[in-house]
Amino acid sequence: MKPDRFHRLKAVLDRRQPDLTVLMENVHKGHNFAAVLRSCDAVGMLSAHAVLPTGHLPSHRRMSAAGAKRWIEVHTHTRLEQGVEVVRGRGMQLLAAHLSPRAVDYREVDYTQPTAILLGQEKDGVTQEAIESCDGEIVIPMEGMVGSLNVSVAAAVILFEAQRQRSQAGLYETQRLEESNYQRILFEWAYPRLASLCQRRGEPYPPLGPDGELLGPVPR
């Protein structure tokens, strides 16, 4: 691990937003799933949630070890209520990206609050069951003949508004992760193969020095 690479990882992790996430409901096309994760990483999210009845992530080359999935923790749920329960348990408001008479302009929402954005399946959108679980609905105003955006494009538009608001509020200026979680993620980013080995063996991660050097015994 080169020092400049290590400090780049730390700089990114310092700005991660643990209380901003997405909950994808049956987004099953690999290219859309991967594109949503890229936007999540771009705005500094820590994790994403996905309701997938099979429990398996959609396959796509952009979700390889070098892709966004390496930097975004993806939590899968086989049932919608599981995902809703998790984000609710973390005190997040749950907003559905969904066109309806009660939907408000996505720019009118306060994303500096702990927030989860619910994104629906590519063809049919958010289910009625999911809508009933939400605090509200948001919409991206459209001026043309097309009635909606691709799910990954809609996610990007909404998430970058959340980034804008959070940046103005100074939420990217201080580290917002608990220290133990911060150190865990930093090690896994810096030494993914070694982290995997430690996990399989049930061993703690070796401590890191100020420039990312390994200070303890290295498992072989």
Side-chain angles (χ1 to χ4, degrees), residues 15 21 23 44 46-47 68 83 86 93 97 105 123 126 131 138 141 158 169 173 177 186 192 203 206-208 216:
R15 296 170 65 81
T21 192
L23 176 59
L46 181 68
S47 62
V86 169
Q93 61 175 340
D105 188 314
K123 181 180 178 181
V126 178
I131 292 171
I138 54 177
I158 295 168
E173 296 176 7
L177 278 69
L186 181 60
E203 299 177 2
L208 300 178

Side-chain angles (χ1 to χ4, degrees), residues 41-88:
D41 176 62
V43 303
M45 281 171 45
L46 181 68
S47 62
H49 296 264
V51 178
L52 299 165
T54 65
H56 300 296
L57 298 182
S59 177
H60 193 262
R61 59 181 177 81
R62 290 183 182 175
M63 294 195 336
S64 65
K69 185 176 177 293
R70 177 175 173 183
W71 313 114
I72 298 293
E73 296 182 343
V74 181
H75 304 283
T76 60
H77 313 279
T78 56
R79 295 180 294 112
L80 172 67
E81 52 265 36
Q82 292 174 338
V84 171
E85 182 179 358
V86 169
V87 298
R88 289 283 193 207

Side-chain angles (χ1 to χ4, degrees), residues 17 51 67 98 117 119 122 153 157 162 176 180 209 216:
Q17 304 291 298
V51 178
H98 177 68
I117 305 299
L119 304 168
E122 288 90 344
V153 176
V157 171
R176 306 189 62 229
S180 60

Side-chain angles (χ1 to χ4, degrees), residues 155-190:
V157 171
I158 295 168
L159 291 178
F160 275 94
E161 170 62 15
Q163 181 204 39
R164 184 191 68 81
Q165 292 187 17
R166 286 176 169 244
S167 180
Q168 287 187 344
L171 296 184
Y172 289 94
E173 296 176 7
T174 58
Q175 179 186 316
R176 306 189 62 229
L177 278 69
E178 295 180 356
E179 186 61 24
S180 60
N181 198 29
Y182 181 96
Q183 294 300 329
R184 174 188 64 82
I185 296 170
L186 181 60
F187 188 92
E188 291 171 359
W189 282 9

Side-chain angles (χ1 to χ4, degrees), residues 85-164:
E85 182 179 358
V86 169
V87 298
R88 289 283 193 207
R90 296 176 180 173
M92 296 185 180
Q93 61 175 340
L94 182 59
L95 304 173
H98 177 68
L99 177 61
S100 77
R102 73 168 188 157
V104 301
D105 188 314
Y106 76 103
R107 293 164 294 193
E108 297 178 5
V109 172
D110 180 6
Y111 298 102
T112 64
Q113 299 182 43
T115 302
I117 305 299
L118 178 66
L119 304 168
Q121 189 254 3
E122 288 90 344
K123 181 180 178 181
D124 299 320
V126 178
T127 64
Q128 185 60 37
E129 177 189 3
I131 292 171
E132 292 172 357
S133 302
C134 292
D135 298 298
E137 299 159 49
I138 54 177
V139 64
I140 300 171
M142 309 287 288
E143 306 294 350
M145 294 296 294
V146 176
S148 64
L149 296 172
N150 172 279
V151 62
S152 64
V153 176
V157 171
I158 295 168
L159 291 178
F160 275 94
E161 170 62 15
Q163 181 204 39
R164 184 191 68 81

Side-chain angles (χ1 to χ4, degrees), residues 28-47:
H28 63 277
K29 294 183 179 179
H31 64 281
N32 284 331
F33 199 99
V36 172
L37 292 186
R38 289 175 68 87
S39 293
C40 291
D41 176 62
V43 303
M45 281 171 45
L46 181 68
S47 62

